[in-house]
Amino acid sequence: MKMKVLNGAANVGLFLAHALALEIEAAERYTELADSMEAHNNVEVAKLFRDLSTYSAKHAEEVKQIAREFGALPKVAPWEFQWDATTESPEAAAFENAHYLMKPHHALKMALLSEHQGNNYYASVAAETKDPEVARLAREFAEEEAGHVALVRKWLERYPAPKDDWSDDPDPPNISD
Amino acid sequence: MDTHLTDDVVGPLPGDYKSDVKPIWCPGCGDYSVLAGITRAMATMGLERKDTVVVSGIGCSSRIPAYTSVYGYHTVHGRSLAVASGVKLARPELNVLIFGGDGDGFSIGGNHFLHACRRNVDMTYIVMDNQVYGMTKGQASPTTEADWCESKLTPEGPGVNPIQPVALALACGANFVARGFSNNPNEVARLIVEGVRHPGFSVIHILSPCVTFRPEQRNWKSTVHPYGREPTDDPNEAMRAVLEDDGFGLGIFLAGNRRPFQPESAATRSIAQIEEGFAV
């Protein structure tokens, strides 16, 4: 059961398959985090994740449009994507870093990491590929991600790190006394 | 039910297999990632929703049928394997996947687990193990360590050794046995695809942290490691290897070659005839 791994820098089809998975998973993950925060009445963070999802979904739709013009994409199983630095697609915020009492600062730090990883992925493909069309697209997508990084940084200025007791819950789910 | 799932660019997408019901698990729960792995596996296989059934028992992880868009059956505590066996034996053409947790599968449903492994019906059982009863606010489960003292019910720990799900599955005759970790949903998807495609009863043990009642499980990401061996088709060899494993090795332990259980005889009575027998 030798596993194959497919490199997004190899050709346009594989690059677009990677880009589409990256953008769709990023948008879906932000939506799932927003839903999860709403279920726990963390309205402020839910709205932030919802806004981030809107931006990512817009980019996903742009990539999908480019893919449509390209034609049918190669079928790549989830474990065949070559992401290098991450086990999941690089822009999908990690579920395990969420907390029901998290503050906007934490949500934006999560988003900043994700957008950085997305930017790094595209930049590394642009540097590695020998295909000029892949290089052009990768540079373009990297620039878009750099814009997202700048946007999240700007939002972070409004939300400084909270006090250390941010996760204290006067009515915790785990009653130990 | 709508069966048209084909996207014009890449075919079925994981999102096609999600329902409109929003999960209510705690933020940070490993089950979110397992759900991502499940829907990615379904999309990879291009499963027809009308031909796919997910069955569950009771517990946090047993909420999966509500969150997927295929047919679902949220049954009673510990009985998911019995119900799923009935579904598969009556409708062998269906894809049957079962979801549940460690308490549902190894305590309340422990007896059914033994016999499902032994019987070897062609279906796939995904157990999300967080070593605690989370839905009832944090009691020791059959896989909890003997010295875990955080529950008021067992302030000095449960005091008995935990069940080893992978070893138990092998001992009872499961035909495909693997372990995954929720932090890597793409690998979870691969294990599910391999399990569904392998004939017979497949058991996929997923370590899925409960961040609310077992927050220390967030550290599992630095504890897990590759199992490091190629899968074998010899249950004895797999068992010997698993006995040396620390419970955190990830991969496929056994891809056996037992023939699945599937009676060949056709039904002798129609549903209407059976119902007549219950008429009052």
Side-chain angles (χ1 to χ4, degrees):
Chain A
M1 292 188 203
K2 187 87 175 163
M3 279 190 292
K4 65 174 177 180
V5 178
L6 300 167
N7 188 345
N11 58 53
V12 177
L14 280 174
F15 173 71
L16 288 173
H18 278 72
L20 199 56
L22 184 154
E23 299 298 341
I24 289 174
E25 286 174 18
E28 282 185 354
R29 184 60 49 83
Y30 284 136
T31 300
E32 288 160 345
L33 287 165
D35 291 341
S36 150
M37 289 299 145
E38 271 172 14
H40 290 79
N41 201 32
N42 192 338
V43 181
E44 193 177 19
V45 174
K47 185 176 180 317
L48 267 179
F49 280 132
R50 192 77 64 199
D51 290 346
L52 289 160
S53 170
T54 305
Y55 282 107
S56 287
K58 197 173 158 217
H59 195 199
E61 201 45 53
E62 288 167 8
V63 176
K64 207 166 185 176
Q65 188 52 43
I66 295 169
R68 277 195 193 99
E69 288 160 14
F70 173 79
L73 297 184
K75 182 96 178 155
V76 183
W79 55 92
E80 292 171 347
F81 288 107
Q82 185 178 313
W83 299 121
D84 289 333
T86 53
T87 54
E88 272 201 282
S89 58
E91 209 176 305
F95 274 127
E96 67 268 19
N97 291 336
H99 188 284
Y100 69 107
L101 292 174
M102 70 194 300
K103 302 295 179 195
H105 176 82
H106 304 119
L108 289 168
K109 291 288 261 190
M110 277 174 74
L112 187 60
L113 177 64
S114 300
E115 301 297 335
H116 256 308
Q117 289 176 171
N119 175 249
N120 289 345
Y121 172 71
Y122 288 130
S124 70
V125 169
E128 177 190 343
T129 187
K130 293 179 172 57
D131 184 318
E133 182 60 7
V134 172
R136 185 187 70 77
L137 286 167
R139 275 196 301 271
E140 188 181 306
F141 293 179
E143 274 174 31
E144 173 126 13
E145 295 303 336
H148 291 178
V149 169
L151 182 72
V152 174
R153 274 195 201 286
K154 202 171 170 190
W155 287 359
L156 251 176
E157 288 170 9
R158 298 207 301 264
Y159 297 102
K163 291 178 185 167
D164 288 345
D165 61 356
W166 64 269
S167 63
D168 287 357
D169 187 345
D171 182 21
N174 193 356
I175 303 164
S176 54
D177 297 327
Chain B
M1 181 183 280
D2 171 29
T3 58
H4 182 74
L5 290 171
T6 306
D7 182 88
D8 55 348
V9 178
V10 285
L13 292 168
D16 295 323
Y17 295 92
K18 287 182 186 159
S19 76
D20 293 333
V21 180
K22 309 300 181 197
I24 56 167
W25 295 312
C26 305
C29 174
D31 293 355
Y32 282 100
S33 296
V34 181
L35 178 60
I38 292 163
T39 54
R40 287 175 196 176
M42 288 177 169
T44 301
M45 292 184 281
L47 295 184
E48 287 279 352
R49 289 190 293 183
K50 68 179 179 58
D51 295 334
T52 305
V53 186
V54 295
V55 183
S56 72
I58 295 296
C60 295
S61 52
S62 289
R63 297 184 60 82
I64 292 285
Y67 304 145
T68 52
S69 63
V70 300
Y71 283 104
Y73 195 164
H74 194 169
T75 71
V76 289
H77 216 347
R79 271 57 186 170
S80 58
L81 290 171
V83 172
S85 298
V87 171
K88 185 66 183 182
L89 295 180
R91 295 283 305 277
E93 76 279 15
L94 298 179
N95 307 300
V96 179
L97 295 94
I98 308 104
F99 297 94
D102 39 298
D104 183 71
F106 305 129
S107 186
I108 297 95
N111 192 23
H112 291 289
F113 179 70
L114 309 184
H115 296 288
C117 292
R118 189 168 72 97
R119 190 165 290 116
N120 197 32
V121 174
D122 186 15
M123 52 190 193
T124 303
Y125 184 31
I126 293 109
V127 186
M128 290 116 106
D129 187 354
N130 58 13
Q131 303 178 346
V132 75
Y133 284 95
M135 187 173 268
T136 51
K137 299 182 81 67
Q139 297 80 31
S141 84
T143 54
T144 304
E145 306 91 316
D147 58 354
W148 183 69
C149 305
E150 299 301 315
S151 168
K152 287 176 76 175
L153 279 183
T154 51
E156 294 176 14
V160 288
N161 286 332
I163 279 174
Q164 303 300 325
V166 166
L168 186 62
L170 288 170
C172 296
N175 204 35
F176 178 95
V177 183
R179 186 188 289 124
F181 178 40
S182 61
N183 274 37
N184 190 346
N186 289 339
E187 177 63 6
V188 168
R190 183 180 78 88
L191 296 177
I192 293 174
V193 169
E194 298 275 4
V196 169
R197 288 178 175 163
H198 196 83
F201 187 60
S202 299
V203 177
I204 303 173
H205 178 227
I206 309 280
L207 299 167
S208 180
C210 174
V211 296
T212 300
F213 298 107
R214 303 293 310 264
E216 72 280 11
Q217 291 174 347
R218 286 184 187 270
N219 295 329
W220 275 355
K221 62 186 166 196
S222 54
T223 311
V224 296
H225 55 85
Y227 166 57
R229 299 186 196 206
E230 286 297 307
T232 174
D233 61 0
D234 178 357
N236 294 324
E237 188 184 332
M239 181 62 95
R240 280 193 293 274
V242 163
L243 290 176
E244 293 171 6
D245 177 64
D246 62 358
F248 290 95
L250 308 179
I252 299 170
F253 300 94
L254 175 74
N257 47 28
R258 285 180 62 210
R259 190 177 170 196
F261 177 84
Q262 184 64 53
E264 291 175 2
S265 57
T268 54
R269 301 175 70 195
S270 69
I271 296 291
Q273 285 172 319
I274 293 169
E275 284 177 345
E276 275 174 24
F278 290 95
V280 180

